[in-house]
Amino acid sequence: MEASGKCALSNGNTEIQYPGVKDINIFFDDLEAANSPSKDDDSLLHAGNLTSMSDEVSRLDAEGEGLNVPEKNKTSGLFFNDGKHRIDYILVYRKSSLQSEKREIFERNIRAEGLHLEKESSVANSDIIFVKLHAPWEVLGRYAELMNVRMPFRRKIYYLHRRYKFMSRMEKQLSRFRGWLPKKPMRLDKEKIPDLEENDCYTAPFSQQRIHHFIINNKDTFFSNATRTRIVHHILQRVKYEEGKNKIGLNRLLTNCTYEAAFPLHEGSYRSKNSIKTHGAENHRHLLFECWASWGVWFKYQPLDLVRRYFGEKIGLYFAWLGWYTGMLFPAAIVGLFVFLYGMFTLDSCQVSREICQATNITMCPLCDKYCPYMRLSDSCIYAKVTHLFDNSATVFFAVFMAVWATVFLEFWKRRRAVIAYDWDLIDWEEEEEEIRPQFEAKYSKKERVNPISGKPEPYQAFADKCSRLVVSASGIFFMICVVIAAVFGIVIYRVVTVSTFAAFKWALIRNNSQVATTGTAVCINFCIIMLLNVLYERVALFLTNLEQPRTESEWENSFTLKMFLFQFVNLNSSTFYIAFFLGRFTGRPGAYLRLNKWRLEECHPSGCLIDLCLQMGIIMVLKQTWNNFMELGYPLIQNWWTRRRLRQEHGAQGKANLPQWEKDYNLQPINPYGLFEEYLEMILQFGFTTIFVAAFPLAPLLALLNNIIEIRLDAYKFITQWRRPLASRAKDIGIWYGILEGIGILSVITNAFVIAVTSDFIPRLVYAYKYGPCAGQGRAGEKCMVGYVNASLSVFLVTDFENHLNSTLNEREFSEQHVKYCRYRDYRDLPSAPEPYAYTLQFWHVLAARLAFIIVFEHLVFFIKHLISYLIPDLPKDLRDRMRREKYLIQEMMYEAELERVQKEKKERKKNGKCQHNEWP
């Protein structure tokens, strides 16, 4: 590209045409013109909170003027006592600690690395000492180069192909038309909150030799606070505290209680007396609270770039994924609601429910042995109508839709993640070689081998030892799954026993709805057992993971995550699987019931088992999400309230107000030791509930959507106000959770196929309509073709064929003042007078064959659609691929031009100096 390029202004945009580059137009936005100065991260903050220039600011910036240190910096709690050095990290220890020697060596080595230290005792507790750390410019530059931190060096330029010129004109006309329309309510107002305008620059790994290439307006703000804390943490993890090969790193000092806590500081208070719209944001924390964590902006998009700038890429990716998942739930929730509404609108025209409501002359057999009475089929009219709301002709379509939706969600998330990774400079980022866990080193320090990557000797775990530990761990997992199954068996026993108890209850409401009361109470008890077992599972998973002795922290995290997910998934869904696929399937028939000791196994309601499954899913989902939201926010709120109350009692009403920022942050709750594990686990389990049994509960996506809208703001409020600021870690994706999501998507196809084929009455109705109904052989099915279905789906039982020990009780019962001779039950069996009484009819085998065929066809069809969608949707958007290639080319050109310019400048200087020294030459 030549410097003599043509420049033309058009509609507020700057168009630059480079000769020799065909069919390309390059545009600078009018706010991002090539000659406009770059804004640093902190340059738009409130004037009172601007970072003052430190000793390391460039001499050119400080020349001729004294360093004016604002008094506010000294009292803000974000700087050393001199008001010049910004605090990048805080270490906390107690004077009464016995590890003073290790701490002194560690701090001496910190100073040797170039970090500045300042100690200050706590206002509330004189035994607590805060160590404030500051990284000067030289240290930041040196380690930024070692860590390959990418920093901005040139404004980005955008290009369009000439064939899109007509489209660009159309877009300009459309943009003018949109100017007359109301602004999008979900977008954040960048005019009122200018801090949301992110720098859009090309970045390259920082190099001190090429420092003149980078955009450095202010050395204090060139490295963001998140980057500074990451660099300081990197240094602390590599400083020795004792003589020895493995006596190194801050994590080990936190483990042996040399230090009590270590954290970066929040950037001041999250509240302000002045409005953010009129006075601007006091700091990034205040800005995030107002535009992200406040309940007043629940309907707006998340400022993900600001979240990433404050908390780092790992937390930013979590909220990006959560926002994407929530947004994708909108179409699923709308379709699920339409399926539910379709059931409501077709309720009166449903032939099956109409027949059940009109079946006053059909007597159903008792559902339990002693206290359950005979009942008219019409008594289950309400349950039949409720079942139709969830089990109708649109259910199959919704199940296919949700299976496809899960695939589209994951495929488009990969594209969205690629865009985020590009915008956040994560495309070429590779994780550093991780440190070995101290526990692994202590266990296997005697046996070493050379690391093929680093070339250094390190502890080595023998293959036989690793296999034996994995076998023991797998046995522990199997045992805990057996505990879950035992808990489910206990719930089954409860349901079997209490159905008779509720049938003999004094209150008519409970007595007449004994089965619903049994299901409801069983679900509530099951929920309590789930929450209790979750506590046990966490300890067991922790024990088994430590028993395996993973080599690195990421291996430990992946192993622990897999165990906890497996435990909680089985714990949460085991009862649901029982109700969906086992309840009422193995009970036998009247006169030959299968029993647990003396109790009959539970049967389904005359209207079907789907109502039990809907009740199970609805109660568990609502209670689980409510409990999780309370624990996520309620527990930190209570803990922090108790801390504030204690401080008020000890130091008066002004005690907390006078605390410096580091002490305020220390009094907040530390972030979960497992990081974002709890947040991801909650959402992944919810995703399972939303997809696995969605055919039985179409409202699950709607409940998940409402919960997630609240969850985003709850998590944001928790991170901003209740927790200490976490370390700004980097990550390229959501890790092992993506594989778990794919596994759930595959499992959902299988379970929904079985729910439709086995649990619902869709297949029996279809078989009846095409084979046995009024329209048999006509090749069509409709409500008119379902006439007589209820009678065809019920078998006849002779009351005198009941078991002998029940004859006396049952024969004395009266129903409608008449002696009951026959009763009906849900099955396909021959009449009592048939040559083989109560044998399966041909219709039973037709229904069974149709169910198996439906499962096979449904699974193959949906899996084909899923794989087809996965194949058709590329992981990288085409425009992003072109932008990446273009950026790579432009970066090479820019670096070459900058080097050429530097060489020519040096050549001119040498030539000039040479002329002055060699005047004798002609």
Side-chain angles (χ1 to χ4, degrees):
M1 296 185 292
E2 299 181 7
S4 60
K6 299 177 182 179
C7 184
L9 297 177
S10 175
N11 294 333
N13 289 338
T14 303
E15 181 179 346
I16 301 177
Q17 297 180 353
Y18 290 92
V21 183
K22 297 181 179 180
D23 298 330
I24 290 178
N25 294 335
I26 300 179
F27 291 90
F28 283 94
D29 188 61
D30 51 357
L31 290 176
E32 295 178 303
N35 57 355
S36 64
S38 172
K39 286 184 278 187
D40 294 306
D41 285 345
D42 298 76
S43 60
L44 292 174
L45 294 181
H46 193 271
N49 276 4
L50 282 175
T51 305
S52 64
M53 297 171 64
S54 67
D55 294 335
E56 288 72 30
V57 75
S58 64
R59 293 182 179 179
L60 292 175
D61 294 336
E63 188 176 4
E65 57 179 323
L67 294 178
N68 182 22
V69 181
E71 287 296 325
K72 190 174 182 180
N73 286 351
K74 296 182 179 180
T75 59
S76 64
L78 302 177
F79 293 82
F80 282 13
N81 290 333
D82 59 5
K84 300 179 182 179
H85 298 81
R86 172 175 286 273
I87 299 174
D88 295 321
Y89 215 80
I90 291 290
L91 302 177
V92 186
Y93 70 89
R94 292 182 179 271
K95 289 191 292 185
S96 56
S97 173
L98 301 178
Q99 306 288 346
S100 59
E101 185 177 352
K102 294 179 181 178
R103 186 168 56 248
E104 290 174 2
I105 297 174
F106 185 72
E107 292 173 1
R108 187 164 59 247
N109 290 334
I110 289 176
R111 291 189 182 93
E113 290 290 336
L115 297 182
H116 296 176
L117 275 71
E118 185 177 78
K119 294 187 179 182
E120 191 158 337
S121 137
S122 170
V123 175
N125 188 347
S126 59
D127 187 44
I128 295 177
I129 304 296
F130 294 96
V131 181
K132 296 175 280 185
L133 303 179
H134 167 78
W137 170 259
E138 290 80 6
V139 175
L140 292 173
R142 184 169 72 252
Y143 276 95
E145 186 172 359
L146 290 174
M147 296 169 63
N148 290 322
V149 177
R150 300 182 69 89
M151 301 304 295
F153 73 92
R154 187 73 64 89
R155 287 275 179 186
K156 281 187 179 179
I157 51 181
Y158 300 93
Y159 72 95
L160 295 171
H161 291 283
R162 287 188 184 276
R163 64 175 180 269
Y164 293 141
K165 198 167 185 178
F166 173 75
M167 294 300 298
S168 65
R169 292 176 181 173
M170 292 293 296
E171 289 177 358
K172 291 175 184 177
Q173 298 298 327
L174 288 175
S175 64
R176 291 179 182 177
F177 174 73
R178 291 194 197 102
W180 295 93
L181 299 176
K183 293 183 179 180
K184 295 181 179 180
M186 291 188 293
R187 293 195 180 276
L188 294 161
D189 192 347
K190 294 188 177 182
E191 295 179 0
K192 296 180 180 178
I193 310 178
D195 253 6
L196 296 180
E197 295 179 3
E198 285 292 313
N199 290 336
D200 203 6
C201 300
Y202 292 119
T203 61
F206 183 77
S207 172
Q208 290 182 315
Q209 292 181 348
R210 298 180 177 181
I211 195 170
H212 53 281
H213 293 172
F214 296 91
I215 304 173
I216 305 177
N217 293 330
N218 187 341
K219 289 187 177 181
D220 284 345
T221 57
F222 177 63
F223 293 105
S224 66
N225 289 337
T227 304
R228 294 173 69 100
T229 57
R230 189 163 62 245
I231 291 174
V232 173
H233 183 77
H234 177 87
I235 296 172
L236 296 177
Q237 292 297 92
R238 286 155 180 80
V239 172
K240 283 195 171 186
Y241 60 85
E242 201 174 51
E243 289 299 325
K245 183 174 56 178
N246 301 322
K247 308 296 184 179
I248 184 173
L250 176 63
N251 285 346
R252 292 177 174 85
L253 294 178
L254 291 172
T255 303
N256 61 26
C257 299
T258 302
Y259 288 101
E260 190 171 297
F263 53 89
L265 282 182
H266 279 296
E267 297 180 10
S269 175
Y270 61 89
R271 294 189 184 275
S272 175
K273 297 179 181 179
N274 303 317
S275 172
I276 191 174
K277 296 181 180 179
T278 57
H279 291 74
E282 294 288 340
N283 50 65
H284 288 150
R285 189 186 187 192
H286 177 216
L287 181 60
L288 276 172
F289 179 79
E290 292 291 339
C291 70
W292 184 47
S294 175
W295 292 106
V297 295
W298 65 269
F299 58 93
K300 291 186 178 291
Y301 293 128
Q302 300 182 84
L304 293 177
D305 290 328
L306 191 59
V307 175
R308 170 244 183 174
R309 185 170 65 184
Y310 193 81
F311 290 111
E313 286 79 4
K314 192 170 187 178
I315 293 177
L317 268 175
Y318 163 71
F319 281 103
W321 176 83
L322 181 57
W324 182 257
Y325 171 44
T326 303
M328 289 293 291
L329 279 173
F330 272 97
I334 291 172
V335 175
L337 184 60
F338 280 160
V339 170
F340 182 78
L341 294 176
Y342 172 81
M344 290 185 63
F345 292 143
T346 60
L347 193 59
D348 295 334
S349 60
C350 179
Q351 178 65 28
V352 176
S353 59
R354 187 188 302 122
E355 287 186 1
I356 292 177
C357 294
Q358 295 174 356
T360 57
N361 58 342
I362 296 180
T363 304
M364 301 299 295
C365 296
L367 295 177
C368 60
D369 285 337
K370 192 172 182 181
Y371 297 106
C372 296
Y374 294 103
M375 57 181 294
R376 295 187 184 92
L377 181 59
S378 58
D379 293 342
S380 60
C381 175
I382 296 178
Y383 301 109
K385 291 182 177 180
V386 172
T387 301
H388 178 73
L389 298 178
F390 302 100
D391 185 14
N392 50 65
S393 55
T395 303
V396 178
F397 160 75
F398 187 58
V400 175
F401 171 82
M402 286 303 296
V404 174
W405 172 86
T407 302
V408 171
F409 161 65
L410 294 176
E411 291 300 319
F412 275 95
W413 163 248
K414 284 195 289 189
R415 293 166 62 87
R416 172 64 175 159
R417 187 208 64 81
V419 173
I420 292 174
Y422 171 78
D423 291 338
W424 291 357
D425 287 321
L426 298 172
I427 293 292
D428 299 324
W429 178 77
E430 294 294 338
E431 259 186 274
E432 299 176 1
E433 178 67 16
E434 284 193 86
E435 293 182 359
I436 299 175
R437 296 176 66 242
Q439 295 85 346
F440 185 88
E441 286 180 339
K443 181 71 176 177
Y444 301 104
S445 58
K446 296 181 180 179
K447 190 173 184 179
E448 293 183 346
R449 74 170 182 180
V450 176
N451 187 313
I453 298 175
S454 64
K456 298 179 181 179
E458 63 178 26
Y460 168 68
Q461 182 182 16
F463 179 77
D465 180 75
K466 186 173 184 178
C467 287
S468 61
R469 290 178 179 275
L470 288 176
V471 168
V472 173
S473 179
S475 302
I477 294 173
F478 178 75
F479 174 75
M480 294 310 299
I481 292 177
C482 292
V483 172
V484 175
I485 296 174
V488 174
F489 187 75
I491 296 296
V492 172
I493 297 297
Y494 169 83
R495 295 170 68 103
V496 167
V497 173
T498 54
V499 67
S500 300
T501 305
F502 283 125
F505 214 75
K506 294 181 180 180
W507 295 349
L509 179 64
I510 296 178
R511 185 172 62 251
N512 296 335
N513 300 277
S514 59
Q515 199 160 18
V516 175
T518 301
T519 302
T521 55
V523 171
C524 293
I525 294 173
N526 184 35
F527 174 75
C528 295
I529 294 175
I530 287 173
M531 302 312 296
L532 290 175
L533 287 179
N534 281 345
V535 178
L536 174 63
Y537 291 155
E538 182 176 347
R539 297 183 179 181
V540 173
L542 192 62
F543 171 77
L544 293 178
T545 306
N546 290 332
L547 181 67
E548 291 177 6
Q549 291 291 348
R551 177 178 170 272
T552 63
E553 288 295 335
S554 62
E555 292 178 4
W556 186 96
E557 184 178 340
N558 289 341
S559 179
F560 179 76
T561 297
L562 195 58
K563 290 181 181 63
M564 279 297 294
F565 168 75
L566 187 60
F567 286 158
Q568 294 214 17
F569 180 81
V570 173
N571 188 28
L572 191 63
N573 293 283
S574 54
S575 295
T576 311
F577 271 90
Y578 163 74
I579 293 175
F581 305 128
F582 297 98
L583 178 63
R585 301 286 180 271
F586 308 101
T587 58
R589 61 167 180 83
Y593 287 116
L594 297 178
R595 298 176 178 275
L596 288 173
N597 197 0
K598 62 179 180 178
W599 292 297
R600 274 171 50 183
L601 293 178
E602 188 181 9
E603 293 185 63
C604 293
H605 198 272
S607 59
C609 292
L610 202 66
I611 187 68
D612 296 282
L613 184 58
C614 294
L615 196 61
Q616 170 84 11
M617 289 191 62
I619 293 177
I620 291 293
M621 195 169 186
V622 171
L623 289 180
K624 186 78 166 60
Q625 292 180 159
T626 304
W627 175 261
N628 285 341
N629 290 336
F630 170 76
M631 289 302 295
E632 281 188 9
L633 186 62
Y635 181 75
L637 277 173
I638 293 173
Q639 290 289 324
N640 291 332
W641 169 81
W642 183 259
T643 302
R644 291 193 300 269
R645 179 176 179 273
R646 178 174 53 81
L647 289 174
R648 282 196 303 268
Q649 290 177 348
E650 295 177 357
H651 302 280
Q654 298 298 325
K656 184 177 182 299
N658 296 329
L659 293 179
Q661 185 63 42
W662 55 81
E663 193 150 357
K664 291 179 182 178
D665 287 5
Y666 175 70
N667 290 327
L668 294 176
Q669 294 301 304
I671 192 170
N672 192 305
Y674 308 130
L676 295 169
F677 168 78
E678 294 289 346
E679 280 71 25
Y680 273 118
L681 180 63
E682 178 186 355
M683 289 297 103
I684 299 299
L685 291 175
Q686 183 205 84
F687 179 80
F689 249 86
T690 306
T691 54
I692 291 178
F693 293 103
V694 73
F697 193 58
L699 294 180
L702 179 61
L703 294 179
L705 173 63
L706 296 176
N707 174 80
N708 286 8
I709 292 175
I710 300 173
E711 180 75 22
I712 291 176
R713 305 305 161 181
L714 277 181
D715 285 348
Y717 185 84
K718 178 177 60 181
F719 273 94
I720 291 294
T721 67
Q722 303 301 313
W723 279 359
R724 296 173 190 163
R725 186 176 182 178
L727 179 69
S729 303
R730 305 201 84 189
K732 293 181 67 172
D733 49 37
I734 61 175
I736 194 176
W737 296 109
Y738 186 84
I740 293 175
L741 286 170
E742 286 188 323
I744 291 177
I746 295 172
L747 180 62
S748 67
V749 176
I750 301 172
T751 53
N752 282 305
F754 275 90
V755 167
I756 296 172
V758 177
T759 310
S760 74
D761 289 336
F762 174 77
I763 298 300
R765 293 177 187 178
L766 209 62
V767 171
Y768 178 81
Y770 283 100
K771 183 68 177 176
Y772 297 96
C775 305
Q778 300 180 16
R780 63 187 181 91
E783 292 299 330
K784 294 182 180 179
C785 300
M786 298 304 297
V787 175
Y789 168 75
V790 173
N791 186 63
S793 64
L794 297 175
S795 299
V796 179
F797 180 73
L798 185 63
V799 172
T800 56
D801 291 341
F802 271 120
E803 290 92 330
N804 293 330
H805 65 282
L806 295 174
N807 281 345
S808 59
T809 304
L810 293 170
N811 289 340
E812 292 174 0
R813 291 177 178 171
E814 290 186 355
F815 187 75
S816 300
E817 300 180 356
Q818 295 180 359
H819 183 71
V820 177
K821 184 177 181 181
Y822 295 100
C823 65
R824 309 291 292 272
Y825 60 99
R826 286 172 56 91
D827 210 342
Y828 298 100
R829 293 180 181 270
D830 284 330
L831 295 171
S833 57
E836 293 185 16
Y838 308 119
Y840 287 117
T841 62
L842 185 61
Q843 187 174 356
F844 169 83
W845 300 108
H846 284 163
V847 170
L848 180 62
R851 282 173 167 164
L852 296 177
F854 175 84
I855 292 173
I856 295 173
V857 172
F858 181 89
E859 288 181 355
H860 282 70
L861 175 64
V862 174
F863 278 130
F864 172 76
I865 295 174
K866 285 169 68 71
H867 285 92
L868 181 63
I869 291 174
S870 300
Y871 174 76
L872 293 177
I873 300 177
D875 293 346
L876 281 179
K878 185 179 183 303
D879 60 336
L880 177 61
R881 189 182 296 111
D882 294 340
R883 284 165 62 191
M884 291 169 61
R885 292 173 179 171
R886 178 67 180 168
E887 179 175 334
K888 186 176 181 180
Y889 167 75
L890 290 176
I891 288 175
Q892 292 175 349
E893 289 289 323
M894 291 173 187
M895 299 295 284
Y896 171 75
E897 288 179 2
E899 276 301 309
L900 185 61
E901 182 181 351
R902 184 180 64 84
V903 171
Q904 290 177 350
K905 186 176 180 181
E906 291 178 354
K907 186 177 180 180
K908 288 180 180 179
E909 290 179 355
R910 285 197 302 268
K911 187 176 181 181
K912 183 178 179 181
N913 295 333
K915 285 183 179 179
C916 296
Q917 295 173 1
H918 305 284
N919 291 330
E920 69 275 10
W921 289 93

